[in-house]
Amino acid sequence: MRFVSWNVNGLRACVGKAAIERGGSKEGFDSPEHEQARPKVNGFSEVFRQLDADFFCLQETKMQAGQLDLQFEGYQSFWNYADKKGYSGTAIYTKHEPLSVSYGIGIDLHDHEGRVITLEMADFFLVCCYTPNSQDGLKRLEYRMSWEDAFRKYLKRLDQQKPVILCGDLNVAHEEIDIKNPKSNRRNAGFTDEEREQFSDLLACGFTDSFRYKYPEEVKYSWWSYRFQAREKNAGWRIDYFVISDRLRERLGDAKIHTDIFGSDHCPVELELNIEL
């Protein structure tokens, strides 16, 4: 079973400009000789169909209800919109009928920005999350810490019932291997000691970072600033994740980061689990 997660940084914009390269290995993307443009298949819909996921999760859709009718045959979709227009937002496309769907984490303080959707399936919970950014000057770090505590408790409650698959832009590069320039970013949002410790605390509660578990030493990023030609230089951060309950490790097939897919400042990440519905 295939799961995909992508922060699209505005779905309406991504629909118009997403592209995936033809040919070549993903591993070669970071090499200088790969910087020359290749023919591309344009459009979010083509990317969506090519990845052919059972569950396709989106973050930062930046939409309100009725702004875009984007449906795909064989899928149903669920959307969580922020109260604030053009901000945040999450969505899940699924081939499989959920037992239930919930929005947010049940705490009013945290449930006005459209950041969480949870699908309950027969054998697991799928949680799509767009974690709040601590922002420039860390002016939202205190709120971020309260979010992290509440969200971890939410995941632990779910995990007591059945295994959890958490995906999304979690807005933290956990270890130095997950960021191109760790020293210069030490106190920047997404790489503070506080945020990294919160992620460590989550893993200690019985969860696994699927990509790092599968590839302990691989350097690969999922987000690049639009400034300073960061993507061309591969000066990136790995802040998009699939985090799974520890007891799903034995079912882990693969974990991928699709650096050859464009259309956002993030690229999609993927999880393959040996599980059937």
Side-chain angles (χ1 to χ4, degrees):
M1 183 166 292
R2 180 177 297 136
F3 302 78
V4 169
S5 176
W6 194 6
N7 178 322
V8 291
N9 193 12
L11 181 57
R12 286 174 295 170
C14 188
V15 164
K17 67 182 182 182
I20 183 170
E21 298 194 13
R22 285 197 184 98
S25 67
K26 295 183 180 69
E27 289 71 17
F29 177 75
D30 299 335
S31 60
E33 61 268 24
H34 190 83
E35 292 181 358
Q36 293 183 346
R38 294 180 180 179
K40 292 180 172 64
V41 179
N42 293 306
F44 175 85
S45 297
E46 287 81 359
V47 173
F48 184 96
R49 294 188 179 98
Q50 182 158 344
L51 291 179
D52 190 29
D54 292 273
F55 299 88
F56 202 117
C57 303
L58 306 179
Q59 302 87 45
E60 206 171 0
T61 56
K62 297 183 178 180
M63 285 174 37
Q64 302 298 123
Q67 288 188 314
L68 181 68
D69 183 16
L70 185 64
Q71 300 300 326
F72 297 93
E73 185 177 357
Y75 289 85
Q76 57 182 314
S77 62
F78 302 94
W79 303 76
N80 195 2
Y81 306 105
D83 294 351
K84 180 181 177 180
K85 292 183 178 180
Y87 180 72
S88 190
T90 48
I92 300 179
Y93 288 90
T94 173
K95 291 181 179 179
H96 307 280
E97 181 73 32
L99 300 178
S100 66
V101 183
S102 61
Y103 302 91
I105 61 175
I107 300 175
D108 186 69
L109 174 65
H110 300 305
D111 286 349
H112 291 272
E113 297 182 353
R115 294 188 177 275
V116 176
I117 303 176
T118 302
L119 302 190
E120 180 184 4
M121 310 304 295
D123 297 319
F124 60 87
F125 288 103
L126 174 62
V127 182
C128 173
C129 176
Y130 178 38
T131 299
N133 191 299
S134 295
Q135 298 185 353
D136 291 341
L138 304 180
K139 58 188 177 184
R140 216 180 184 201
L141 181 61
E142 183 177 353
Y143 171 73
R144 168 71 177 267
M145 293 299 101
S146 68
W147 160 275
E148 293 282 1
D149 291 339
F151 188 56
R152 184 172 61 254
K153 291 176 181 177
Y154 174 73
L155 295 175
K156 288 172 64 177
R157 288 197 301 271
L158 294 180
D159 191 51
Q160 290 173 356
Q161 302 174 53
K162 59 184 73 174
V164 172
I165 301 165
L166 163 66
C167 70
D169 174 2
L170 303 187
N171 260 317
V172 61
H174 184 215
E175 303 288 356
E176 290 192 354
I177 191 176
D178 298 315
I179 185 170
K180 178 69 172 180
N181 298 304
K183 292 183 179 179
S184 61
N185 283 291
R186 180 70 182 275
R187 287 303 294 168
N188 287 341
F191 199 62
T192 63
D193 292 345
E194 295 93 330
E195 292 163 314
R196 296 168 64 194
E197 287 170 4
Q198 287 281 7
F199 193 83
S200 294
D201 289 346
L202 174 61
L203 298 183
C205 289
F207 295 94
T208 296
D209 173 354
S210 61
F211 180 81
R212 190 54 66 212
Y213 179 79
K214 189 76 176 179
Y215 302 104
E217 299 180 0
E218 184 165 353
V219 176
K220 213 162 189 182
Y221 308 123
S222 66
W223 174 79
W224 304 261
S225 171
Y226 280 134
R227 297 179 294 175
F228 312 120
Q229 297 181 311
R231 189 151 188 177
E232 289 82 353
K233 298 174 182 176
N234 198 33
W237 303 44
R238 187 174 74 94
I239 61 176
D240 301 270
Y241 296 84
F242 273 97
V243 174
I244 60 176
S245 295
D246 285 350
R247 57 195 187 277
L248 289 177
R249 286 178 180 176
E250 61 186 19
R251 299 189 179 186
L252 178 58
D254 204 357
K256 302 176 182 178
I257 300 177
H258 290 287
T259 54
D260 55 347
I261 294 179
F262 298 83
S264 169
D265 50 351
H266 297 250
C267 71
V269 296
E270 180 179 331
L271 174 72
E272 292 182 6
L273 279 182
N274 299 315
I275 193 170
E276 295 182 1
L277 290 177

